[in-house]
mmCIF file of all heavy atoms in Angstrom:
data_model
loop_
_atom_site.group_PDB
_atom_site.id
_atom_site.type_symbol
_atom_site.label_atom_id
_atom_site.label_comp_id
_atom_site.label_asym_id
_atom_site.label_seq_id
_atom_site.Cartn_x
_atom_site.Cartn_y
_atom_site.Cartn_z
ATOM 1 N N GLY A 1 7.219 9.372 4.452
ATOM 2 C CA GLY A 1 7.480 9.689 5.849
ATOM 3 C C GLY A 1 8.912 9.453 6.267
ATOM 4 O O GLY A 1 9.199 9.145 7.418
ATOM 5 N N GLY A 2 9.864 9.569 5.305
ATOM 6 C CA GLY A 2 11.257 9.389 5.660
ATOM 7 C C GLY A 2 11.714 7.953 5.657
ATOM 8 O O GLY A 2 12.894 7.671 5.840
ATOM 9 N N ARG A 3 10.787 7.011 5.448
ATOM 10 C CA ARG A 3 11.165 5.608 5.444
ATOM 11 C C ARG A 3 11.395 5.140 4.017
ATOM 12 O O ARG A 3 10.599 5.392 3.125
ATOM 13 C CB ARG A 3 10.072 4.755 6.078
ATOM 14 C CG ARG A 3 10.029 4.865 7.609
ATOM 15 C CD ARG A 3 9.167 3.728 8.163
ATOM 16 N NE ARG A 3 9.305 3.649 9.601
ATOM 17 C CZ ARG A 3 8.500 4.266 10.456
ATOM 18 N NH1 ARG A 3 7.539 5.020 10.008
ATOM 19 N NH2 ARG A 3 8.687 4.146 11.756
ATOM 20 N N PRO A 4 12.484 4.428 3.757
ATOM 21 C CA PRO A 4 12.716 3.902 2.417
ATOM 22 C C PRO A 4 11.656 2.874 2.067
ATOM 23 O O PRO A 4 11.089 2.221 2.930
ATOM 24 C CB PRO A 4 14.090 3.256 2.526
ATOM 25 C CG PRO A 4 14.255 2.927 3.980
ATOM 26 C CD PRO A 4 13.524 4.012 4.716
ATOM 27 N N ASP A 5 11.376 2.731 0.781
ATOM 28 C CA ASP A 5 10.329 1.842 0.310
ATOM 29 C C ASP A 5 10.949 0.749 -0.558
ATOM 30 O O ASP A 5 10.489 0.474 -1.655
ATOM 31 C CB ASP A 5 9.301 2.670 -0.470
ATOM 32 C CG ASP A 5 8.093 1.841 -0.877
ATOM 33 O OD1 ASP A 5 7.936 0.740 -0.346
ATOM 34 O OD2 ASP A 5 7.342 2.303 -1.739
ATOM 35 N N GLU A 6 11.995 0.132 -0.039
ATOM 36 C CA GLU A 6 12.690 -0.859 -0.856
ATOM 37 C C GLU A 6 11.863 -2.105 -1.105
ATOM 38 O O GLU A 6 12.175 -2.909 -1.985
ATOM 39 C CB GLU A 6 14.017 -1.257 -0.201
ATOM 40 C CG GLU A 6 13.892 -1.963 1.139
ATOM 41 C CD GLU A 6 13.924 -1.019 2.323
ATOM 42 O OE1 GLU A 6 13.666 0.178 2.134
ATOM 43 O OE2 GLU A 6 14.202 -1.486 3.437
ATOM 44 N N ASP A 7 10.771 -2.301 -0.336
ATOM 45 C CA ASP A 7 9.955 -3.496 -0.497
ATOM 46 C C ASP A 7 8.759 -3.287 -1.409
ATOM 47 O O ASP A 7 7.980 -4.203 -1.624
ATOM 48 C CB ASP A 7 9.448 -3.965 0.870
ATOM 49 C CG ASP A 7 10.599 -4.322 1.799
ATOM 50 O OD1 ASP A 7 11.495 -5.044 1.339
ATOM 51 O OD2 ASP A 7 10.591 -3.876 2.942
ATOM 52 N N GLY A 8 8.581 -2.085 -1.926
ATOM 53 C CA GLY A 8 7.439 -1.818 -2.783
ATOM 54 C C GLY A 8 6.211 -1.403 -1.991
ATOM 55 O O GLY A 8 6.259 -1.228 -0.760
ATOM 56 N N GLN A 9 5.118 -1.254 -2.693
ATOM 57 C CA GLN A 9 3.870 -0.800 -2.083
ATOM 58 C C GLN A 9 2.732 -1.727 -2.470
ATOM 59 O O GLN A 9 2.745 -2.350 -3.527
ATOM 60 C CB GLN A 9 3.518 0.611 -2.577
ATOM 61 C CG GLN A 9 4.537 1.666 -2.304
ATOM 62 C CD GLN A 9 4.161 2.990 -2.951
ATOM 63 O OE1 GLN A 9 3.067 3.130 -3.499
ATOM 64 N NE2 GLN A 9 5.065 3.951 -2.889
ATOM 65 N N PHE A 10 1.728 -1.789 -1.586
ATOM 66 C CA PHE A 10 0.480 -2.464 -1.906
ATOM 67 C C PHE A 10 -0.526 -1.417 -2.362
ATOM 68 O O PHE A 10 -0.642 -0.351 -1.743
ATOM 69 C CB PHE A 10 -0.050 -3.213 -0.687
ATOM 70 C CG PHE A 10 0.846 -4.340 -0.254
ATOM 71 C CD1 PHE A 10 1.737 -4.160 0.800
ATOM 72 C CD2 PHE A 10 0.828 -5.557 -0.909
ATOM 73 C CE1 PHE A 10 2.571 -5.185 1.201
ATOM 74 C CE2 PHE A 10 1.665 -6.586 -0.521
ATOM 75 C CZ PHE A 10 2.542 -6.401 0.533
ATOM 76 N N VAL A 11 -1.234 -1.725 -3.422
ATOM 77 C CA VAL A 11 -2.250 -0.825 -3.946
ATOM 78 C C VAL A 11 -3.599 -1.532 -3.846
ATOM 79 O O VAL A 11 -3.816 -2.575 -4.477
ATOM 80 C CB VAL A 11 -1.963 -0.440 -5.415
ATOM 81 C CG1 VAL A 11 -3.017 0.557 -5.904
ATOM 82 C CG2 VAL A 11 -0.563 0.141 -5.547
ATOM 83 N N VAL A 12 -4.489 -0.977 -3.037
ATOM 84 C CA VAL A 12 -5.814 -1.542 -2.825
ATOM 85 C C VAL A 12 -6.814 -0.744 -3.664
ATOM 86 O O VAL A 12 -6.924 0.484 -3.509
ATOM 87 C CB VAL A 12 -6.212 -1.482 -1.343
ATOM 88 C CG1 VAL A 12 -7.582 -2.117 -1.141
ATOM 89 C CG2 VAL A 12 -5.164 -2.176 -0.475
ATOM 90 N N SER A 13 -7.516 -1.420 -4.561
ATOM 91 C CA SER A 13 -8.517 -0.776 -5.407
ATOM 92 C C SER A 13 -9.885 -0.881 -4.743
ATOM 93 O O SER A 13 -10.270 -1.946 -4.246
ATOM 94 C CB SER A 13 -8.566 -1.445 -6.781
ATOM 95 O OG SER A 13 -7.309 -1.354 -7.422
ATOM 96 N N LEU A 14 -10.624 0.234 -4.753
ATOM 97 C CA LEU A 14 -11.949 0.275 -4.151
ATOM 98 C C LEU A 14 -13.013 0.410 -5.218
ATOM 99 O O LEU A 14 -12.752 0.885 -6.329
ATOM 100 C CB LEU A 14 -12.063 1.442 -3.170
ATOM 101 C CG LEU A 14 -10.972 1.592 -2.113
ATOM 102 C CD1 LEU A 14 -11.289 2.764 -1.197
ATOM 103 C CD2 LEU A 14 -10.823 0.309 -1.314
ATOM 104 N N GLU A 15 -14.219 -0.003 -4.875
ATOM 105 C CA GLU A 15 -15.348 0.230 -5.774
ATOM 106 C C GLU A 15 -15.457 1.726 -6.049
ATOM 107 O O GLU A 15 -15.358 2.546 -5.135
ATOM 108 C CB GLU A 15 -16.651 -0.261 -5.143
ATOM 109 C CG GLU A 15 -16.898 -1.738 -5.290
ATOM 110 C CD GLU A 15 -18.264 -2.154 -4.786
ATOM 111 O OE1 GLU A 15 -18.987 -1.293 -4.220
ATOM 112 O OE2 GLU A 15 -18.615 -3.341 -4.927
ATOM 113 N N GLY A 16 -15.641 2.076 -7.314
ATOM 114 C CA GLY A 16 -15.711 3.479 -7.678
ATOM 115 C C GLY A 16 -14.414 4.008 -8.239
ATOM 116 O O GLY A 16 -14.377 5.136 -8.738
ATOM 117 N N GLY A 17 -13.327 3.228 -8.112
ATOM 118 C CA GLY A 17 -12.083 3.619 -8.762
ATOM 119 C C GLY A 17 -11.004 4.186 -7.868
ATOM 120 O O GLY A 17 -9.873 4.370 -8.313
ATOM 121 N N ALA A 18 -11.310 4.495 -6.594
ATOM 122 C CA ALA A 18 -10.291 5.040 -5.699
ATOM 123 C C ALA A 18 -9.253 3.966 -5.360
ATOM 124 O O ALA A 18 -9.515 2.762 -5.477
ATOM 125 C CB ALA A 18 -10.937 5.571 -4.423
ATOM 126 N N GLU A 19 -8.082 4.418 -4.954
ATOM 127 C CA GLU A 19 -7.010 3.511 -4.564
ATOM 128 C C GLU A 19 -6.420 3.934 -3.228
ATOM 129 O O GLU A 19 -6.401 5.120 -2.894
ATOM 130 C CB GLU A 19 -5.896 3.476 -5.613
ATOM 131 C CG GLU A 19 -6.294 2.822 -6.921
ATOM 132 C CD GLU A 19 -5.127 2.726 -7.887
ATOM 133 O OE1 GLU A 19 -4.131 3.469 -7.722
ATOM 134 O OE2 GLU A 19 -5.221 1.896 -8.821
ATOM 135 N N VAL A 20 -5.929 2.954 -2.489
ATOM 136 C CA VAL A 20 -5.227 3.176 -1.227
ATOM 137 C C VAL A 20 -3.874 2.495 -1.344
ATOM 138 O O VAL A 20 -3.784 1.341 -1.779
ATOM 139 C CB VAL A 20 -6.014 2.590 -0.042
ATOM 140 C CG1 VAL A 20 -5.193 2.646 1.231
ATOM 141 C CG2 VAL A 20 -7.334 3.334 0.143
ATOM 142 N N ARG A 21 -2.812 3.208 -0.944
ATOM 143 C CA ARG A 21 -1.463 2.665 -1.023
ATOM 144 C C ARG A 21 -0.859 2.546 0.372
ATOM 145 O O ARG A 21 -1.054 3.423 1.218
ATOM 146 C CB ARG A 21 -0.572 3.559 -1.899
ATOM 147 C CG ARG A 21 -0.985 3.550 -3.368
ATOM 148 C CD ARG A 21 -0.192 4.551 -4.192
ATOM 149 N NE ARG A 21 -0.563 4.447 -5.599
ATOM 150 C CZ ARG A 21 0.099 3.730 -6.502
ATOM 151 N NH1 ARG A 21 1.207 3.091 -6.141
ATOM 152 N NH2 ARG A 21 -0.304 3.660 -7.748
ATOM 153 N N ALA A 22 -0.110 1.460 0.582
ATOM 154 C CA ALA A 22 0.508 1.246 1.894
ATOM 155 C C ALA A 22 1.709 0.334 1.762
ATOM 156 O O ALA A 22 1.834 -0.427 0.800
ATOM 157 C CB ALA A 22 -0.506 0.639 2.855
ATOM 158 N N LEU A 23 2.600 0.423 2.769
ATOM 159 C CA LEU A 23 3.791 -0.421 2.807
ATOM 160 C C LEU A 23 3.522 -1.793 3.417
ATOM 161 O O LEU A 23 4.199 -2.761 3.094
ATOM 162 C CB LEU A 23 4.895 0.269 3.611
ATOM 163 C CG LEU A 23 5.306 1.672 3.164
ATOM 164 C CD1 LEU A 23 6.428 2.181 4.046
ATOM 165 C CD2 LEU A 23 5.721 1.664 1.698
ATOM 166 N N ARG A 24 2.552 -1.848 4.320
ATOM 167 C CA ARG A 24 2.196 -3.108 4.970
ATOM 168 C C ARG A 24 0.683 -3.280 4.870
ATOM 169 O O ARG A 24 -0.067 -2.309 4.889
ATOM 170 C CB ARG A 24 2.614 -3.108 6.446
ATOM 171 C CG ARG A 24 4.109 -2.905 6.664
ATOM 172 C CD ARG A 24 4.910 -4.099 6.176
ATOM 173 N NE ARG A 24 6.326 -3.974 6.473
ATOM 174 C CZ ARG A 24 7.230 -3.432 5.645
ATOM 175 N NH1 ARG A 24 6.840 -2.944 4.474
ATOM 176 N NH2 ARG A 24 8.506 -3.379 6.003
ATOM 177 N N LEU A 25 0.263 -4.543 4.825
ATOM 178 C CA LEU A 25 -1.148 -4.838 4.592
ATOM 179 C C LEU A 25 -1.650 -5.869 5.586
ATOM 180 O O LEU A 25 -1.003 -6.899 5.812
ATOM 181 C CB LEU A 25 -1.336 -5.363 3.166
ATOM 182 C CG LEU A 25 -2.769 -5.660 2.708
ATOM 183 C CD1 LEU A 25 -3.580 -4.368 2.627
ATOM 184 C CD2 LEU A 25 -2.748 -6.356 1.340
ATOM 185 N N LEU A 26 -2.804 -5.589 6.186
ATOM 186 C CA LEU A 26 -3.491 -6.553 7.045
ATOM 187 C C LEU A 26 -4.858 -6.842 6.437
ATOM 188 O O LEU A 26 -5.648 -5.920 6.200
ATOM 189 C CB LEU A 26 -3.660 -6.004 8.462
ATOM 190 C CG LEU A 26 -4.543 -6.845 9.398
ATOM 191 C CD1 LEU A 26 -3.944 -8.228 9.627
ATOM 192 C CD2 LEU A 26 -4.761 -6.131 10.726
ATOM 193 N N ILE A 27 -5.127 -8.114 6.210
ATOM 194 C CA ILE A 27 -6.424 -8.532 5.670
ATOM 195 C C ILE A 27 -7.254 -9.086 6.820
ATOM 196 O O ILE A 27 -6.896 -10.091 7.438
ATOM 197 C CB ILE A 27 -6.241 -9.583 4.558
ATOM 198 C CG1 ILE A 27 -5.437 -8.985 3.407
ATOM 199 C CG2 ILE A 27 -7.603 -10.079 4.065
ATOM 200 C CD1 ILE A 27 -5.095 -9.970 2.300
#
């Protein structure tokens, strides 16, 4: 989205094998 990703990404693994990627994470 035009924003640099210098901090890396979080990869969330779901049951069944799907993944979700994001720059910020709230638990």
